[in-house]
Amino acid sequence: MKWGVVRFPGSLDDNDALYALAEVMEQEAALLWHKDTSLAGAECVLLPGGFSYGDYLRTGAIARFSPIMKSVEKFAADGGLVIGTCNGFQILCEAHLLPGALTRNRSLAFICERVHVRVENERTPFTRAMRRGDVLKLPIKHGEGLYVAPETELLQMEERGQIILRYCDADGAESEAANPNGSMRAIAGVANERFNVFGLMPHPEHAVEAMLGGTDGRKIFESIAGRA
Amino acid sequence: MQVKVFITPRKGILDPQGRVVEQSLRTLGFKDVTDVKVGKYIVLNVAAPSVAAAREETKRMCERLLANPNIEDFSFEVEGE
């Protein structure tokens, strides 16, 4: 499968994402520059983590107006697969490709740790290699990951199955303690109504090698690549 | 025309900064303080033929970029109003 990884000024995880996709997952992966408008034939576009444009004003607020995002929006509107991790998730929310927004962690602290998330909907291109209820161990590293959306929107998202990942403990149980940033309804990842755009705060690209703490991130890339 | 834009966390949205500042103020002995919100204050100049035109332009800027309606409310003052 052909992947495009977008590099914004301030992206941090672009190289790790490229490494995970090309070296570990053996995919065809290319870097896309934020000022370009071509997606270079990518079948899946990945918006990586980092601090695009310094996260000035709000996280992702400036990046969403970069030239490449016009192409990403059109690609998504045509049904193309888009995944955003961390800052990429924030950009997708700012671009209205995903509902809701990500705000300052409840604790106000930057969190860098491994957490558990539970798969809530396995019938998506991003989770199809998993089963509902599966627990993934993935790293998070963010200061603004508290997911917020209006209550009416959350209800609709629940009904449609748009909540894809929830923070939980190692056994898959939800609790205050297992919700690292205070996200509403313990939301760690969501999809759009058409299920071709997916955003998550955890970093699957940092969990692809056992030597570096786990391989659960592979399951997300395997799900996506299996579709092509 | 100078415009002052005020952006605050939307009502009902958790504002951890406001909460912590409020706790801190109480610790300092300001017992009567409530409803602290921490937001943004943006000053800009806009060349517009009238106050009404400047207001319209500022409203569009807020909706498009300066505020995120999902989580923030905005208000603004135009010089000469």
Side-chain angles (χ1 to χ4, degrees), chain B residues 47-62:
Chain B
S50 65
V51 168
R55 288 196 66 83
E56 188 49 42
E57 192 74 347
T58 306
K59 184 165 174 280
R60 285 180 48 223
M61 286 188 244
C62 288

Side-chain angles (χ1 to χ4, degrees), chain A residues 13 16-20 46 48-49 85 141 202-208 217 221:
Chain A
D13 303 323
D16 285 357
L18 276 178
Y19 170 81
L46 185 150
T85 62
K141 49 179 180 94
H203 290 267
E205 80 282 10
H206 290 144
V208 292
F221 298 129

Side-chain angles (χ1 to χ4, degrees), chain A residues 42-61:
Chain A
E43 294 160 278
C44 180
V45 174
L46 185 150
L47 305 186
F51 300 87
S52 55
Y53 294 86
D55 275 348
Y56 292 157
L57 197 62
R58 293 180 306 279
T59 58

Side-chain angles (χ1 to χ4, degrees), chain A residues 57-58 94 100 106 108 148, chain B residues 13 19-20 40 65-66 68:
Chain A
L57 197 62
R58 293 180 306 279
E94 280 286 340
R106 181 178 45 188
L108 293 176
V148 171
Chain B
I13 292 284
R19 200 188 54 201
V20 169
K40 297 187 188 98
L65 175 66
L66 300 181
N68 179 339

